[in-house]
Amino acid sequence: MEKNKKKDIRALTKEQIRAFFVAQGDKAFRGNQVYEWLWQKGAHSFEAMTNVSKETRQLLDDNFVINHIKVDQMQRSSDGTIKNAVQLHDGLIVESVLIPTKTRTTACVSSQVGCSLDCRFCATSRLKRMRNLNPDEIYDQVVAIDNESRLYFDRKLSNIVFMGMGEPLMNYNNVLKAIDKITSTEGLAMSPKRITVSTSGVPKMIKKMADDEVKFKLAVSLHSAVDEIRTSIMPFNATFPLKDLREALQYWYAKTKSRITYEYVVWDGINDTQNDANALVDFCRFAPSKVNLIEYNPIDDGEFQQAASKAIDMYVATLERNGITVTVRRSRGKDIDAACGQLANKS
């Protein structure tokens, strides 16, 4: 069988791998062994499966490939943040980031090569979307960061955010399959409560997540609660306006009772007035929520500039006065273009 005709074995379920062995006249449990090597032990080759006979490894090699990722380049920031340029089996590159704090390490992972959306302040959106990532490619990013967390910080990975390259809800099925593997006892056995999926707001898919009764957390990149302003910085808002987003989030909260996090950047001269802050308060009112005010990371052209600190203080005061939890998030990894909105394969 030609190499490029071989199937990626990680596209098969455990039952399909067991059935393959039975069809070869072997025992079904051989499939369990191989499946464990592929996911729990993260084997990148059949040769690495040391408790499987040489003949079996050869049989696997004749029929399948393991299209694993390769960390092509790793950069370390002065603040400890690590950025991986991850090469996929077809040569395309995505980026993922390890963000350490005193108490935890967080993996920021990508879900698409490029992005389906067109946010004007984000470097990733300037890369055209080449393709969706497969579940194993998402999973591999997490494994690589978990290994780095253990190596450099002497602790296992504690949290995952889908805030890297791409819009996760535009690759919904594969993202869900990856999270199933990450949370499975046959995978990394991480709690879904430690996973946050961040979306720019695709109403239909937010409702689908609620119907699917997902257990992970939801974050929404909001950046303005005024339609005209949001459309000017996030043009797809014309297709998915705020009233549709709000209705979908109301549905999400009614179904899941899970608090919504809003990611929000305040820019100079764009959304830095009291009216903008009041609109945000009104938008947040329908369900328990938390606002992360994020420091902006410029992407060279100067159109978007971080708002003055007095504007941030005004937002914090307005939100707190209205009983809305707010945190100001300082950027990490700016010196290696690893911060929010900077992932653009520049490394």
Side-chain angles (χ1 to χ4, degrees):
M1 200 181 264
E2 287 175 60
K3 192 167 180 78
N4 63 0
K5 292 282 191 284
K6 293 182 191 177
K7 192 170 176 64
D8 182 356
I9 192 167
R10 289 191 301 176
L12 303 184
T13 63
K14 187 203 270 190
E15 287 64 38
Q16 287 171 319
I17 298 173
R18 282 166 59 93
F20 168 79
F21 280 109
V22 171
Q24 300 292 325
D26 204 338
K27 294 186 170 57
F29 85 87
R30 191 80 60 225
N32 300 5
Q33 282 180 302
V34 170
Y35 191 84
E36 186 178 318
W37 274 108
L38 292 172
W39 296 105
Q40 252 179 326
K41 297 178 180 174
H44 281 181
S45 71
F46 299 118
E47 202 47 48
M49 300 179 179
T50 47
N51 66 347
V52 177
S53 74
K54 203 163 182 175
E55 295 74 33
T56 302
R57 282 180 272 171
Q58 188 58 53
L59 175 70
L60 289 166
D61 201 42
D62 289 343
N63 287 276
F64 302 107
V65 290
I66 304 174
N67 284 333
H68 62 85
I69 66 161
K70 188 169 93 207
V71 176
D72 193 46
Q73 187 182 3
M74 186 191 90
Q75 292 173 278
R76 295 190 72 183
S77 165
S78 55
D79 65 20
T81 300
I82 292 173
K83 180 169 80 167
N84 293 327
V86 172
Q87 186 174 22
L88 309 174
H89 70 92
D90 54 5
L92 293 170
I93 302 274
V94 294
E95 293 178 342
S96 53
V97 182
L98 186 166
I99 306 158
T101 66
K102 284 191 172 67
T103 54
R104 63 192 194 176
T105 49
T106 299
C108 175
V109 298
S110 294
S111 55
Q112 296 180 310
V113 185
C115 187
S116 298
L117 299 180
D118 49 10
C119 304
R120 287 177 48 229
F121 52 83
C122 177
T124 309
S125 72
R126 299 178 180 194
L127 308 172
K128 72 174 196 293
R129 189 188 76 78
M130 310 283 285
R131 68 172 175 84
N132 288 333
L133 293 188
N134 297 327
D136 53 278
E137 292 170 325
I138 297 168
Y139 184 89
D140 281 356
Q141 290 175 72
V142 175
V143 171
I145 291 177
D146 183 41
N147 290 338
E148 289 167 349
S149 180
R150 291 166 193 266
L151 179 64
Y152 296 111
F153 302 100
D154 201 25
R155 62 175 105 109
K156 66 181 185 181
L157 183 68
S158 58
N159 295 75
I160 301 169
V161 293
F162 281 79
M163 293 184 190
M165 303 169 84
E167 166 52 65
L169 299 194
M170 296 289 200
N171 186 17
Y172 182 75
N173 290 339
N174 287 352
V175 165
L176 239 58
K177 283 177 186 167
I179 291 173
D180 283 347
K181 281 280 188 296
I182 291 162
T183 55
S184 163
T185 52
E186 295 180 324
L188 299 179
M190 275 188 80
S191 165
K193 292 185 173 58
R194 294 181 171 273
I195 299 173
T196 300
V197 171
S198 177
T199 175
S200 293
V202 187
K204 183 175 79 174
M205 300 313 295
I206 291 170
K207 288 180 174 176
K208 180 160 175 44
M209 279 167 53
D211 288 337
D212 288 344
E213 298 179 353
V214 300
K215 299 289 184 276
F216 50 78
K217 294 175 179 169
L218 173 65
V220 178
S221 288
L222 191 63
H223 309 306
S224 178
V226 179
D227 261 315
E228 304 75 54
I229 295 172
R230 194 166 194 258
T231 300
S232 75
I233 56 177
M234 304 167 85
F236 67 87
N237 185 70
T239 312
F240 306 130
L242 285 165
K243 73 174 176 50
D244 294 357
L245 176 59
R246 183 175 180 142
E247 186 207 333
L249 291 169
Q250 282 173 314
Y251 186 85
W252 159 269
Y253 183 73
K255 279 254 180 180
T256 66
K257 294 290 178 276
S258 176
R259 175 168 88 161
I260 302 153
T261 297
Y262 296 108
E263 309 285 355
Y264 199 101
V265 178
V266 187
W267 289 285
D268 186 41
I270 293 176
N271 61 349
D272 58 351
T273 70
Q274 185 66 58
N275 284 347
D276 292 302
N278 293 344
L280 176 59
V281 168
D282 288 343
F283 192 87
C284 289
R285 280 215 163 104
F286 66 87
S289 59
K290 169 186 164 192
V291 175
N292 283 333
L293 293 175
I294 302 170
E295 187 181 346
Y296 182 60
N297 307 295
I299 54 170
D300 298 340
D301 54 16
E303 184 186 353
F304 291 89
Q305 296 293 334
Q306 171 77 24
S309 54
K310 68 174 195 277
I312 307 293
D313 294 343
M314 177 271 293
Y315 262 92
V316 170
T318 304
L319 289 159
E320 286 182 342
R321 194 165 58 242
N322 286 279
I324 296 162
T325 305
V326 56
T327 56
V328 179
R329 263 211 343 239
R330 302 291 169 210
S331 283
R332 305 289 301 275
K334 278 199 287 193
D335 55 334
I336 55 169
D337 288 327
C340 274
Q342 288 186 322
L343 300 186
N345 293 341
K346 281 205 287 191
S347 49

